[in-house]
Amino acid sequence: MRSTDPGQVAPNGSSTSKRRSGFVFHAPTWHMPIITFRGQEIECDTGEILRDVLLEAGVSPHNGRADMLNCGGHGTCGTCAVDITGDVSDPGRREKVRLSVPPHDSDDGLRLACQTRIQGDVTVHKYPGFWG
């Protein structure tokens, strides 16, 4: 955007930079979270469910037959368990219960992709095997 008078509103309704006391204040920029998974970087909106974003991007949080044999995102089967580094929602009751039942262990630190909301940039790792 080209320079405008301090406090002027752009034609699209967005505010522009303002000068005060020799400082320039810029409107905050919006960063869409990026999910790094299996060598791909996928942008999404904050608050989206990890499983949904991955499937829309053409990648799956499941391994092998679990692509077909899963609970469809209800948090009951555990086949979408992944290791996540980054800013995500806290686990809910359903997720905690499911991950405390074998073959999972609540001490593994895994998350269910179908129950996890993205809050910022994340890196996701899927382990091998049906339950991953």
Side-chain angles (χ1 to χ4, degrees), residues 51-74:
R51 176 185 185 271
D52 298 343
V53 174
L54 294 176
L55 291 175
E56 286 176 23
V59 293
S60 176
H62 304 98
N63 290 334
R65 291 188 181 175
D67 273 333
M68 300 292 287
L69 303 171
N70 64 70
C71 67
H74 296 285

Side-chain angles (χ1 to χ4, degrees), residues 3-113:
S3 179
T4 59
D5 293 334
Q8 182 176 346
V9 176
N12 66 0
S14 66
S15 63
T16 59
S17 301
K18 296 181 181 181
R19 279 197 185 274
R20 293 184 189 156
S21 306
F23 294 99
V24 176
F25 296 90
H26 296 280
T29 57
W30 182 17
H31 168 73
M32 292 183 72
I34 297 173
I35 300 166
T36 303
F37 182 64
R38 294 185 174 163
Q40 294 185 30
E41 289 189 346
I42 305 161
E43 283 189 336
C44 69
D45 290 324
T46 300
E48 284 194 79
I49 302 229
L50 176 59
R51 176 185 185 271
D52 298 343
V53 174
L54 294 176
L55 291 175
E56 286 176 23
V59 293
S60 176
H62 304 98
N63 290 334
R65 291 188 181 175
D67 273 333
M68 300 292 287
L69 303 171
N70 64 70
C71 67
H74 296 285
T76 57
C77 72
T79 60
C80 67
V82 292
D83 185 25
I84 302 174
T85 304
D87 193 10
V88 295
S89 60
D90 291 331
R93 187 185 66 76
R94 178 179 292 185
E95 182 177 8
K96 288 178 185 178
V97 168
R98 178 58 196 98
L99 290 174
S100 68
V101 177
H104 299 296
D105 182 329
S106 56
D107 293 333
D108 288 344
L110 297 178
R111 297 294 306 273
L112 297 181

